[in-house]
Amino acid sequence: MRIGFLTIDWIDFLDILLVAYMLYQIYKLIQGSIANKIFFGYILIYGVYLVSKALGMEFLSSILGQFMNMGVLALLIIFQQEIRRFLMMLGRSTSFRENPLLKRFYTPKVSKENFSTLQSILDAVKVMATNYTGALIVIEKEDDLKKFIESGDVLDAEVSKRLLLTIFHKNSPLHDGAVIIKGGRLAAARCMLPVSESGTISPALGFRHRAAFGMSEQTDAAIIVVSEEKAEVSFVNHGGIFRNMSIQDLEIKLKDYILKE
């Protein structure tokens, strides 16, 4: 196929589509963050570099060329969080458990241990929301949360309503940070979670919600947040949030999460 003086075949179309898709995914990852402006600034400089090179402006193109060479390393440093999230997204898309096409050939197994803890979690969340008690509960799925567990106080205890209420009581030394549930057991309390730097998060959401978003951006864990100020229950997973949930809605989300495990 010829367009003017250009000859284009199906490989060129495929090349353009793949680049467009990659740029779209990168834009989704950095949308709303300060990295967004840096990325478009870099694209603008790269465009000027290509134009100056095509016009034979050797001095300008050589200066911009040196900048582009150093800029690649700078971008790797600046966008390390976004690059990690992008690679994780690609990895999840090839997983039988995450890919909508591949998982048709995979029969999920229900974890009885995790399912048995569901009622204890729901009962504790209901009481904490009623009493305006802040809480952050992380439930492990496929991704290993060992490094986050080790950041807190390891308990390895049976999950119960009473234990969760005791941990998140405002006078408890363990109430700060998150509780992580692994394999149907309460693995650790007072765990430190990564805080999201995304600019798309509502300013009305506090530190617990940002920590929940950060955890969901880096892992496939499900996170329950109970707001201390509004007594609002939220469910966060894969970078998405469901706010102001009833206990019945939360139960549906948790069952769906466990059954897809």
Side-chain angles (χ1 to χ4, degrees), residues 128 133-137 153 163-179 189-191 208 228:
M128 289 187 286
T133 300
L136 189 56
I137 302 172
D153 295 325
L163 179 57
L164 288 171
L165 292 177
T166 300
I167 288 173
F168 287 112
H169 189 275
K170 63 180 180 180
N171 294 325
S172 169
L174 298 177
H175 81 280
D176 283 331
V179 154
R190 208 169 63 85
C191 299
R208 284 193 180 92
E228 189 174 354

Side-chain angles (χ1 to χ4, degrees), residues 33 166 182 241 246:
S33 67
T166 300
K182 175 184 176 73
I241 184 171
S246 66

Side-chain angles (χ1 to χ4, degrees), residues 30-226:
I30 65 177
Q31 185 180 17
S33 67
I34 191 172
N36 190 13
K37 298 178 181 178
I38 298 174
F39 176 74
F40 284 110
Y42 188 84
I43 292 295
L44 178 61
I45 293 175
Y46 184 64
V48 174
Y49 165 71
L50 292 178
V51 172
S52 63
K53 190 175 182 180
L55 294 177
M57 304 170 69
E58 296 183 4
F59 185 52
L60 180 59
S61 62
S62 63
I63 293 175
L64 293 177
Q66 292 297 322
F67 177 81
M68 297 302 298
N69 291 333
M70 293 184 296
V72 171
L73 179 60
L75 285 178
L76 289 175
I77 296 172
I78 295 171
F79 293 103
Q80 56 180 316
Q81 296 282 353
E82 285 74 17
I83 292 172
R84 179 168 58 187
R85 286 163 55 192
F86 180 69
L87 294 176
M88 287 179 64
M89 179 192 68
L90 291 179
R92 285 174 181 166
S93 66
T94 61
S95 171
F96 281 97
R97 303 185 183 191
E98 301 295 336
N99 190 288
L101 295 177
L102 296 178
K103 69 181 181 181
R104 293 182 180 180
F105 304 97
Y106 171 76
T107 303
K109 296 180 180 180
V110 179
S111 171
K112 293 181 181 179
E113 290 181 333
N114 276 349
F115 196 80
S116 65
T117 67
L118 177 61
Q119 196 58 51
S120 297
I121 295 172
L122 292 171
D123 290 343
V125 168
K126 183 177 181 180
V127 174
M128 289 187 286
T130 303
N131 297 337
Y132 287 78
T133 300
L136 189 56
I137 302 172
V138 178
I139 305 174
E140 184 185 79
K141 192 174 184 181
E142 184 178 355
D143 293 344
D144 188 9
L145 305 183
K146 181 180 178 181
K147 69 175 183 178
F148 301 107
I149 292 172
E150 292 176 345
S151 71
D153 295 325
V154 178
L155 299 178
D156 190 25
E158 182 180 346
V159 178
S160 68
K161 170 186 173 182
R162 184 176 299 176
L163 179 57
L164 288 171
L165 292 177
T166 300
I167 288 173
F168 287 112
H169 189 275
K170 63 180 180 180
N171 294 325
S172 169
L174 298 177
H175 81 280
D176 283 331
V179 154
I180 296 180
I181 296 174
K182 175 184 176 73
R185 293 184 65 81
L186 202 157
R190 208 169 63 85
C191 299
M192 301 298 294
L193 304 186
V195 179
S196 176
E197 297 179 0
S198 173
T200 60
I201 301 175
S202 171
L205 299 178
F207 180 80
R208 284 193 180 92
H209 290 86
R210 285 193 168 272
F213 270 107
M215 192 68 168
S216 71
E217 289 168 356
Q218 296 190 20
T219 72
D220 64 350
I223 305 99
I224 301 169
V225 185
V226 182

Side-chain angles (χ1 to χ4, degrees), residues 20-36:
Y21 176 75
M22 183 181 68
L23 291 175
Y24 172 70
Q25 292 298 332
I26 292 174
Y27 173 74
K28 283 178 61 179
L29 287 174
I30 65 177
Q31 185 180 17
S33 67
I34 191 172
N36 190 13

